[in-house]
Each structure stands twice: as structure tokens, then as C-alpha cells.
Amino acid sequence: MNVANWWLRLSWRLRSQLYNCGIIPGPVELSPIQWKEEPSSASIPRSYIEALTTEQRDYYLGIEREVRLLSRLLPLFPSAISESQWKHLSECQNMKQRLEQLKFYRKIELQRERDAANRAERRDSKKANPLEPSTPHESFIYYNPAAINRLEKNMEGCREARAYQTDDLPILAVDCRYLKDLSPRGASLTGAQLKILITGNRDFAEPWPLYFLNWDEKHDRYEALRQKYLMAFDSSARINGVVSPKNYVDIFDAERVVYMSPHAEEEIEKVEAGVTYVLGGIVDRVKESGISPTASADSAHKDGVRCQKLPLDRYLTWKSGTRYLTLPAVQAILHDVHENGGDWHAAFEKHIPKRNLRGADEKNEKARLYHQAIRVQDRNILQMVEKRLR
């Protein structure tokens, strides 16, 4: 293995010099890929393997072989992989998705370590610099912060309840039919965005009715996402959204439904009260091989409802990146346009990421090359693993 690593280092240095001299296109990897010792976390717990059927066992052992090879090459590899994470890895549709998932697990570990360090630092700082006890303002006869907090929450609950009792507000619905077809990482990112939809709607001065439809509660994926991100559904104190396995055409008048899709031919003109705006429960951060790129438009046509897109080209110049906005961004844009009397430009300026409004010459060249180098490194690692698996 020392000879193999020596050759990998030499090859990397040579390619780096040729790239720096402009002889070959680049970029090259950030550092030479090196074989290292296999970590213990790369193996599936035997107790988990023994509980599987023969067919499942063969499939999982094949995945384990991939992961063990990836663990020896990846700079970012998790220090531990839980049984549920092994299950998510088994749901990935190819090795590239598994590589991304493993890096994702390691990033979560690093974030938790940073959070723990920050908490410890704040705790030590409080011990070193204790605050002097505060006293209520002398003009206060009685002061009860807990009661005030309860009152504020009750008032917020009343605003949310009113949204479902009036017809003078638009309605936002999320089409959740795609969740079961997403990769594990794609499903996780979507779940996080659904959670933000709930909190974002709660923070609006005038919340909209919020629906999560085509929710397949019998499928394990939906229950896992609910447990991890959407426990707000179970709140008895407030209405955080309506969850239903029904389709939007079974609940709302199809003539008053608009499915938002970047692939629509028609642009939306205004945001109207009493109209249901449907967002497809898909994120664009991960390429999904199991879902058509035009899935949202396809669903709209299949269900016989209007399909419209945001009027991006009419109000701004899109210079880079895909035109797939996050679910919370579309929610905020629609809400602002309804509140500000139809000012699309102001809503776009506020909620469209600035990186999409800058051209390549306006961006940080060093950051762009850095991310390109990471993609090159991942591609080379996959090729090395595939060669070993043959």
C-alpha cells in the first residue's frame, strides 16, 4: 500500500504542476488521495446483519464492501454509523449517493462537536462572569414572565387558527408524494425545509392555511421524517399544519389550484385569496435519479390543475445557478407579494440568494475552484473504488 500511495502522491504532484502551468485543464484534487487503515465504523454490526433475511444480508454485505473501501479513501468519514444510518445507506440508489451520504454524516458529527464546544465555552464564561441578579422595575406591582409568554403563545395560536376559518387568505399546500422516492439525504433536506415552512408560516403577521398532502403515513420514510423534523404536527396547543393522505384535488376546487413549477410555461401574475398554491416536496441540493426533473409540472398536468412559475425573468437578471428555489423561499416570496400589493421585484430582492444574481466574473474564483476540486476528488475516489470492486 505504501507503493500505491507513493504513486498517487507522485501522480497528484505531476498533475498539479501541469495544471498550474496551464498545460492541462483542471482543477485537480485539493490533496493527493491516499489509502489508509480501515476504521471500525465501516463495518455493519453483526447483530444487525444476523437479523436480516438471506437476500437482505447479501445486499447489505455488498454495500458494506463499498463503504469499507470508501472509508479508506474519504477525507470525511463518520466516526460511527448507526443502524438507522446503515438503513439509509441501503436506500441510496448508487455509490455516488452513498459517498455523499457518508460525507453528510461526518459533517453532522463535526457540527455537533462544534456545538458542544460552544456550549461548554458559554457555560464556562457564565461561571467566570456571573450576572448580578436583576430586580423588577420599581413601578411594577407584579411581574410574571411565564404568564406573558403563555399569553403570547395563545395569541399566536389564535392567529394560526383564524387562517383556517377565513376565506380571505391564499392557501399553501405541499405535495408530499415524492418523499418516498427521494434519496436518504434528499429526504432529510426536504424534511428540514418542511420544518422551516411551519416555523416561517408561524412567524408571519398573518399566517396562511398550511397543508401537507399526499402524506403516506403507512410508509416508513414518512414516519421517520415526522419523528425527526415534524413533531410539531402532534402539538395540541396550536395548528402547525393539516396533514392528509388525500390529494389536493380531493380537498380543494381544482379550478382554484395553482401548482408552482420552474418548468411551467405560464408565469404567475398575482397571488390571490382563496387560491391554493401547491409546492412540490422536492429539494434541488441532491440530484435524484428516481424522480423526473420535471416532476412538479408532470404532476400538475396529470391532476388537471394550472401550472405556473415565478416571473423571474421579468423582474431580475438570473446569472448563475439553477432556478430551483427552496420551499421556504417560494413560501416567503408568495406571502410578501400578497402582502405588499403585488410587488414582485421587492420580494425577489429580499428572498432570491445573491449568488444567483452574480455572474462567474463577479464570484469568488477561489471558492469556485475549491468546490470544483472537491467534485474532482469525489469522482476519482468513486473510480478507484469501482476498480477494486470489479
Side-chain angles (χ1 to χ4, degrees):
M1 199 54 65
N2 288 336
V3 174
N5 282 340
W6 173 83
W7 173 252
L8 288 169
R9 286 195 299 271
L10 179 63
S11 173
W12 176 78
R13 289 195 186 100
L14 178 61
R15 284 183 287 109
S16 296
Q17 290 175 1
L18 292 174
Y19 167 66
N20 292 333
C21 294
I23 299 174
I24 63 171
V28 298
E29 307 95 315
L30 296 172
S31 59
I33 299 172
Q34 297 283 278
W35 291 98
K36 56 181 182 288
E37 292 296 321
E38 180 185 308
S40 59
S41 59
S43 297
I44 304 176
R46 294 303 100 181
S47 58
Y48 186 69
I49 288 289
E50 291 169 2
L52 301 173
T53 64
T54 303
E55 185 179 352
Q56 289 174 329
R57 190 178 300 126
D58 292 341
Y59 179 66
Y60 270 82
L61 290 175
I63 291 172
E64 182 187 52
R65 190 180 175 208
E66 280 184 14
V67 171
R68 291 174 69 175
L69 288 170
L70 288 170
S71 73
R72 298 178 60 194
L73 295 170
L74 276 175
L76 285 175
F77 191 83
S79 60
I81 305 177
S82 66
E83 291 185 0
S84 63
Q85 288 174 333
W86 276 110
K87 186 175 185 300
H88 290 157
L89 289 170
S90 75
E91 294 170 354
C92 292
Q93 295 155 347
N94 51 54
M95 194 188 340
K96 184 177 184 297
Q97 286 189 2
R98 276 187 275 278
L99 179 146
E100 293 291 341
Q101 192 73 9
L102 290 166
K103 290 169 60 177
F104 180 58
Y105 292 154
R106 180 55 183 159
K107 289 175 182 176
I108 291 175
E109 286 182 346
L110 293 173
Q111 184 60 53
R112 286 174 178 167
E113 290 172 8
R114 288 192 291 268
D115 291 344
N118 290 336
R119 286 195 298 270
E121 184 178 349
R122 289 195 297 269
R123 191 164 53 246
D124 294 341
S125 177
K126 287 181 180 179
K127 289 180 180 178
N129 304 288
L131 296 173
E132 294 183 6
S134 58
T135 56
H137 194 279
E138 60 182 6
S139 64
F140 291 171
I141 298 175
Y142 178 70
Y143 179 72
N144 189 336
I148 292 177
N149 289 337
R150 284 196 300 272
L151 180 60
E152 288 177 346
K153 288 184 178 180
N154 289 337
M155 292 173 65
E156 290 174 359
C158 289
R159 287 192 295 108
E160 293 160 9
R162 178 188 173 278
Y164 296 90
Q165 298 170 338
T166 181
D167 296 326
D168 60 358
L169 290 172
I171 299 166
L172 190 69
V174 182
D175 182 4
C176 300
R177 75 179 75 185
Y178 312 104
L179 293 179
K180 59 180 177 295
D181 300 318
L182 293 171
S183 65
R185 188 180 176 212
S188 182
L189 291 170
T190 304
Q193 290 195 17
L194 296 182
K195 181 177 181 179
I196 296 172
L197 283 182
I198 294 174
T199 57
N201 191 54
R202 183 189 303 161
D203 292 339
F204 290 139
E206 194 166 36
W208 289 3
L210 182 60
Y211 290 80
F212 298 86
L213 304 176
N214 289 311
W215 186 271
D216 187 358
E217 58 186 6
K218 296 180 181 178
H219 196 284
D220 292 343
R221 168 68 61 75
Y222 291 79
E223 178 59 21
L225 289 176
R226 189 186 69 81
Q227 291 287 344
K228 187 172 183 180
Y229 297 105
L230 303 169
M231 291 302 289
F233 287 165
D234 300 333
S235 173
S236 59
R238 58 202 314 167
I239 304 173
N240 291 304
V242 175
V243 184
S244 173
K246 292 184 177 181
N247 196 5
Y248 40 86
V249 293
D250 298 325
I251 298 176
F252 306 109
D253 180 359
E255 294 184 359
R256 302 282 288 169
V257 172
V258 174
Y259 206 123
M260 303 300 301
S261 171
H263 300 286
E265 297 180 1
E266 179 186 352
E267 288 186 341
I268 184 173
E269 296 285 342
K270 56 184 178 180
V271 181
E272 302 177 80
V275 174
T276 301
Y277 296 92
V278 181
L279 309 182
I282 313 172
V283 297
D284 70 320
R285 290 273 302 278
V286 182
K287 186 177 181 181
E288 299 292 344
S289 58
I291 298 177
S292 167
T294 60
S296 53
D298 295 343
S299 296
H301 297 148
K302 176 183 176 183
D303 293 332
V305 299
R306 279 185 295 167
C307 186
Q308 296 181 334
K309 61 184 177 181
L310 296 174
L312 298 174
D313 292 330
R314 199 189 316 168
Y315 294 96
L316 49 81
T317 302
W318 196 282
K319 294 184 177 181
S320 64
T322 66
R323 298 186 178 225
Y324 299 102
L325 298 174
T326 64
L327 301 179
V330 178
Q331 175 197 39
I333 289 169
L334 294 175
H335 196 279
D336 279 12
V337 170
H338 181 256
E339 291 293 314
N340 66 23
D343 191 340
W344 287 99
H345 185 270
F348 289 152
E349 283 288 316
K350 184 177 178 181
H351 299 293
I352 298 290
K354 295 295 183 282
R355 64 178 180 273
N356 298 128
L357 307 180
R358 298 193 190 107
D361 56 334
E362 302 173 87
K363 291 188 175 182
N364 186 327
E365 181 68 8
K366 187 177 290 186
R368 186 180 67 82
L369 292 175
Y370 172 78
H371 290 292
Q372 281 187 1
I374 290 177
R375 288 193 289 272
V376 169
Q377 181 170 275
D378 288 349
R379 184 170 64 246
N380 291 341
I381 287 174
L382 288 171
Q383 290 173 353
M384 292 171 65
V385 172
E386 286 170 355
K387 186 176 180 180
R388 283 291 184 100
L389 290 172
R390 289 187 191 132

